[in-house]
Every structure is written in structure tokens, then in C-alpha cells.
Amino acid sequence: MTTTTEAGATHGYHKQKDEHLKRLRRIEGQIRGLQRMVDEDTYCIDILTQVSASTKALQSFALQLLEEHLRHCVADAAVKGGDEIDAKVDEATKAIGRLLRT
């Protein structure tokens, strides 16, 4: 089981950590590109297009992370059973709700 409070826990994304960091650096580059576009007085619609691309990239990353959470953390809690599975499902449901509101 993994939670935000467990020291030294292996999280569901651990096996893909390098890939995730690479992906986040690309997204960070997109955001820096947005700053540059504003600084250079780029046309509004062009900036909005880049905002949309950046948003989709973050959403895609979040979906991948959620899938890994379900496959690792929630599945582990299901094996252990008891109250732990209920807590993990509740936690995942709330995370999905937050993602849907964005």
C-alpha cells in the first residue's frame, strides 16, 4: 500500500518515473513557450491554441498517473481487503472528480 504519508513507499508510477519526468519537462517547455509567446505579443488565438495543447498534455499525464494508481495502489489495497480498499477507492474517486472539474 502507498499513501502520501508513508516514508519510502513505492508508488504506482515508480517503474515509469524517468518517462514521466521526461514528459513533464516537455510540458514545462510548452508552458515556457506560452510565456515567450505573451512576451513577444503573439496573436491571441495562437496562444490559446498552445494553451489547449498544454492542457491536453497535462490531462494525458494525469490519466496515465491515475491508471498506474489504480493498477498498483488500488489493486494492492484490494488484495489486502478490509477498510483499506474502501479508502483507496474513495481516494481514487475523489481524484477522478477533481480531474473532471478541470
Side-chain angles (χ1 to χ4, degrees), residues 12 22 46 49 56 61 85-87 95:
K22 183 178 176 182
D46 294 338
T49 299
K56 293 295 181 195
F61 173 76
I85 183 62
D86 292 333

Side-chain angles (χ1 to χ4, degrees), residues 34-51:
L34 281 166
Q35 293 170 336
R36 189 171 37 257
M37 291 172 84
V38 170
D39 187 48
E40 295 171 357
D41 294 319
T42 303
Y43 184 57
C44 301
I45 297 302
D46 294 338
I47 296 172
L48 289 170
T49 299
Q50 184 63 28
V51 167

Side-chain angles (χ1 to χ4, degrees), residues 13-27:
Y13 60 83
H14 180 74
K15 292 179 183 177
Q16 307 267 339
K17 188 174 180 177
D18 290 339
E19 181 181 317
H20 288 323
L21 288 171
K22 183 178 176 182
R23 194 171 184 184
L24 286 169
R25 286 185 193 102
R26 280 194 307 265
I27 294 169

Side-chain angles (χ1 to χ4, degrees), residues 1-96:
M1 181 194 76
T2 57
T3 65
T4 55
T5 58
E6 290 183 30
T10 300
H11 300 288
Y13 60 83
H14 180 74
K15 292 179 183 177
Q16 307 267 339
K17 188 174 180 177
D18 290 339
E19 181 181 317
H20 288 323
L21 288 171
K22 183 178 176 182
R23 194 171 184 184
L24 286 169
R25 286 185 193 102
R26 280 194 307 265
I27 294 169
E28 181 182 24
Q30 287 179 298
I31 303 305
R32 280 193 307 270
L34 281 166
Q35 293 170 336
R36 189 171 37 257
M37 291 172 84
V38 170
D39 187 48
E40 295 171 357
D41 294 319
T42 303
Y43 184 57
C44 301
I45 297 302
D46 294 338
I47 296 172
L48 289 170
T49 299
Q50 184 63 28
V51 167
S52 177
S54 300
T55 300
K56 293 295 181 195
L58 276 172
Q59 289 171 338
S60 178
F61 173 76
L63 188 58
Q64 177 67 38
L65 202 60
L66 178 61
E67 179 182 355
E68 290 167 358
H69 177 70
L70 293 172
R71 289 185 187 278
H72 180 268
C73 302
V74 176
D76 185 55
V79 169
K80 292 178 181 175
D83 292 338
E84 194 168 341
I85 183 62
D86 292 333
K88 287 295 178 186
V89 168
D90 185 54
E91 178 183 61
T93 301
K94 288 176 181 175
I96 292 166

